[in-house]
Amino acid sequence: LSGCFVHERHADAPAMPRLAGWWGHDKATRFEMGPRFHPIRGAEGWQLSNPPILQLAALRASMEIFDRATMTALRAKSEKLTGYLDDLVRAIPGEPVEIVTPRSAHERGCQLSLRVKSDAKAFQQRLVEAGVIVDFREPNVVRAAPTPLYNRFIDVYRFAQILRQHAHA
């Protein structure tokens, strides 16, 4: 299950290269099985196939959770969580990592990119062994993302403590 954004200037461009699928074909002629593809007007014409029902059920359940949580509240918590993480990382003695993500909450999402000043892969491995999941980017960046839907401030605090403990190992 996936989605894509189709700019309105492309939505009604039938000659534009696309992966043409059954569900994007004009509903009035879909069952004629003709040799030519006639896309539905707008973004609907970019559909490929019928949606998988089990994946849609999971998607619907997750959308209900997001509706209850609200994007406004999630963004507010995200700014606080990531700001808290930023403060804790900057307070680690010896500065074993450099935050390369913008400091302003308006210029970043819910993750911090940390440039590791020592062996980055070994550092990431130490974090994994301590139970921390981070993303690694060559050559020397780990990304930590306190996700507001399910991470708590205590999770951010614990991560910073593990970071502090393993930064100089």
Side-chain angles (χ1 to χ4, degrees):
L1 188 63
S2 66
C4 70
F5 170 79
V6 179
H7 192 280
E8 63 187 38
R9 72 175 175 255
H10 304 301
D12 292 322
M16 177 171 261
R18 66 174 78 206
L19 295 172
W22 174 262
W23 285 90
H25 191 93
D26 180 16
K27 294 173 187 173
T29 60
R30 181 181 294 162
F31 290 100
E32 292 177 9
M33 309 293 192
R36 301 204 51 211
F37 176 74
H38 300 283
I40 298 170
R41 295 200 68 220
E44 190 178 6
W46 292 76
Q47 296 179 92
L48 293 178
S49 184
N50 57 320
I53 194 67
L54 292 177
Q55 290 178 358
L56 278 179
L59 178 62
R60 181 175 181 180
S62 73
M63 292 291 96
E64 289 171 1
I65 291 169
F66 278 98
D67 285 345
R68 283 198 316 264
T70 77
M71 292 307 291
T72 302
L74 288 172
R75 179 62 183 151
K77 183 179 176 186
S78 171
E79 290 178 3
K80 291 174 186 171
L81 277 174
T82 308
Y84 182 49
L85 177 59
D86 187 292
D87 290 343
L88 292 174
V89 170
R90 289 178 193 280
I92 297 174
E95 300 177 353
V97 296
E98 172 192 4
I99 299 172
V100 295
T101 309
R103 187 133 198 210
S104 169
H106 300 291
E107 297 178 39
R108 68 176 179 210
C110 73
Q111 66 94 19
L112 293 183
S113 293
L114 311 172
R115 182 176 296 130
V116 180
K117 296 181 180 178
S118 61
D119 182 345
K121 285 192 176 187
F123 178 71
Q124 183 217 13
Q125 186 57 41
R126 289 193 302 272
L127 292 177
V128 169
E129 289 168 2
V132 174
I133 299 170
V134 291
D135 184 40
F136 182 79
R137 293 287 189 242
E138 293 286 351
N140 61 350
V141 173
V142 294
R143 299 188 313 170
T147 306
L149 188 61
Y150 49 83
N151 284 131
R152 304 166 298 166
F153 288 90
I154 190 68
D155 299 324
V156 171
Y157 177 80
R158 287 179 183 149
F159 169 74
Q161 294 304 310
I162 291 169
L163 193 64
R164 179 186 294 256
Q165 176 185 359
H166 293 282
H168 300 293

